Amino acid sequence: MSSLVDAGLTVHVQEGAGRHAHAVDAAYRAAGATVTPEDPTPESDVVVSVQPLTLDQATRLKPGAITISFLQPATERDLLEVYRDRRITSFSFDLLPRVTRAQSADALSSQALVAGYRAVLVAAERLPRFLPMFTTAAGTVPPAKVLVLGAGVAGLQAIATARRLGAVVEAYDVRRAAGEEVRSLGAKFLELDLETQSGVYASVQSEEFLERQRELIGEHVAASDVVITTAAIPGRKAPVLVTTDMLKAMAPGSVLVDLAAESGGNCTASVAGQETWVGEVLVHGALNLPSSMPVHASRLYARNVLNLLKLMIVDGVVQPNLDDEVLDGCCLTHDGRIRKELP
């Protein structure tokens, strides 16, 4: 907040906006912002939010205003049409290019960090047994077995957290390079008889590949007390990694946490925001897990927003230059047109 003020911007915050993140109005005022009792959106030149604006908010924006948020073009067609008609310039963190210059603004990664950490705590809370090993006078309690599917930012943080809590952890990812990162955290990387990818980020796989993948993963799922799935592809339906039959092979009391539930789910039994029992196995369809850790999720997101805005600020005015590859890549609407193809 103070960095934006120092850059010459006038910042308005709606009263109570930071309440759930334990950020009081007085803190915003101390940072140089103006706290207003009414929604400041209609009078603002730049509107920053986490979730996309509502259609009502969008219709009240000033023509030519700028918005920054998470915004999936595949699911927000009506909103994009409003932005187009009102000549709004909209930027989405969902489309931020994966280049070095954009890393400090990568809100997908910062929120995935929070989600991966939280997913393990959710599983540990619901698992009816210990995660670590205990040696007691009454005997030894073996450690829980945790399987993490997907070793991106969320998966790696889930691995690290589960290891800190004393679990035995295995992980799988289609990317060959992920193996070294998984092993560096003390987990076992599953070497499956499947073609691997050489890129930094996973790409879409064929249904034939996914079917074979499920066959090979099945025995590892069955042997696990906790499964955490993290495979999501922005703008696309999440690949199915765990079937109902695989869940039925797990031990009673086992837990699966699906971080991709909001985009269709890596598990066929997942429902975003709900917990579902498949026999004696609990499936937690994660919904916006970062919001359950609002203090650090908000701090990380605020830094991402600031770093993206820095690319647009010229002499105290927000003037995005779409010749910049980072801004061009995440700009959805500008000058009365939708710039990205809608799936």
Side-chain angles (χ1 to χ4, degrees):
M1 191 70 67
S2 58
S3 296
L4 294 178
V5 174
D6 291 343
L9 304 184
T10 300
V11 182
H12 292 265
V13 178
Q14 187 171 4
E15 191 175 273
R19 182 175 64 255
H20 296 296
H22 306 286
V24 297
D25 292 341
Y28 290 113
R29 293 190 183 97
T34 299
V35 177
T36 62
E38 303 297 331
D39 181 3
T41 297
E43 305 302 322
S44 300
D45 298 307
V46 180
V47 178
V48 174
S49 61
V50 179
Q51 302 300 332
L53 299 182
T54 65
L55 287 176
D56 178 61
Q57 288 175 316
T59 57
R60 293 186 288 117
L61 287 171
K62 295 167 60 174
I66 296 169
T67 69
I68 300 173
S69 69
F70 286 105
L71 203 170
Q72 286 277 5
T75 59
E76 298 289 350
R77 184 181 299 267
D78 292 344
L79 180 61
L80 292 180
E81 290 176 352
V82 172
Y83 284 168
R84 176 197 62 199
D85 296 343
R86 296 187 65 79
R87 306 182 75 81
I88 304 300
T89 298
S90 61
F91 294 92
S92 173
F93 285 111
D94 289 295
L95 302 178
L96 193 78
R98 298 298 183 92
V99 297
T100 302
R101 284 186 60 243
Q103 286 182 349
S104 64
D106 188 355
L108 280 176
S109 291
S110 72
Q111 301 309 294
L113 175 80
V114 181
Y117 172 82
R118 187 63 173 173
V120 175
L121 301 187
V122 168
E125 185 178 49
R126 287 155 178 76
L127 189 69
R129 56 158 299 159
F130 293 125
L131 281 184
M133 180 182 76
F134 285 103
T135 301
T136 74
T140 298
V141 178
K145 298 178 180 178
V146 175
L147 173 63
V148 178
L149 300 178
V153 174
L156 291 173
Q157 185 55 229
I159 292 167
T161 304
R163 288 283 297 137
R164 291 189 195 104
L165 292 177
V168 173
V169 184
E170 293 183 327
Y172 171 73
D173 195 288
V174 297
R175 296 167 299 123
R176 186 183 305 112
E180 184 176 345
E181 295 176 304
V182 168
R183 296 184 191 99
S184 72
L185 294 171
K188 177 183 177 181
F189 185 71
L190 299 183
E191 301 279 1
L192 302 183
D193 185 20
L194 285 168
E195 179 185 351
T196 58
Q197 296 180 10
S198 58
V200 177
Y201 303 104
S203 59
V204 180
Q205 298 288 349
S206 67
E207 184 53 41
E208 291 76 14
F209 178 93
L210 292 172
E211 181 62 33
R212 176 61 177 158
Q213 186 181 67
R214 287 190 287 268
E215 291 177 8
L216 297 175
I217 287 174
E219 63 182 87
H220 297 280
V221 171
S224 301
D225 301 298
V226 172
V227 176
I228 296 174
T229 64
T230 71
I233 302 171
R236 295 181 179 271
K237 187 180 184 301
V240 174
L241 305 178
V242 180
T243 65
T244 301
D245 287 341
M246 293 161 70
L247 292 173
K248 291 178 179 178
M250 297 179 74
S254 299
V255 178
L256 183 144
V257 178
D258 190 348
L259 291 183
E262 292 181 69
S263 57
N266 295 143
C267 176
T268 52
S270 297
V271 180
Q274 296 185 25
E275 293 190 336
T276 306
W277 287 93
V278 177
E280 294 296 316
V281 176
L282 178 64
V283 177
H284 179 91
L287 179 64
N288 195 12
L289 273 191
S291 68
S292 65
M293 302 199 71
V295 172
H296 285 117
S298 297
R299 289 180 184 177
L300 291 170
Y301 184 68
R303 181 60 62 175
N304 296 143
V305 170
L306 172 63
N307 290 328
L308 186 62
L309 272 171
K310 282 181 176 179
L311 300 179
M312 309 182 197
I313 298 173
V314 180
D315 296 329
V317 179
V318 180
Q319 297 178 327
N321 176 7
L322 298 186
D323 289 333
D324 183 303
E325 65 170 332
V326 174
L327 299 181
D328 174 64
C330 63
C331 181
L332 272 172
T333 59
H334 176 69
D335 199 24
R337 67 185 184 93
I338 299 174
R339 304 178 71 251
K340 306 294 181 184
E341 180 181 350
L342 301 182

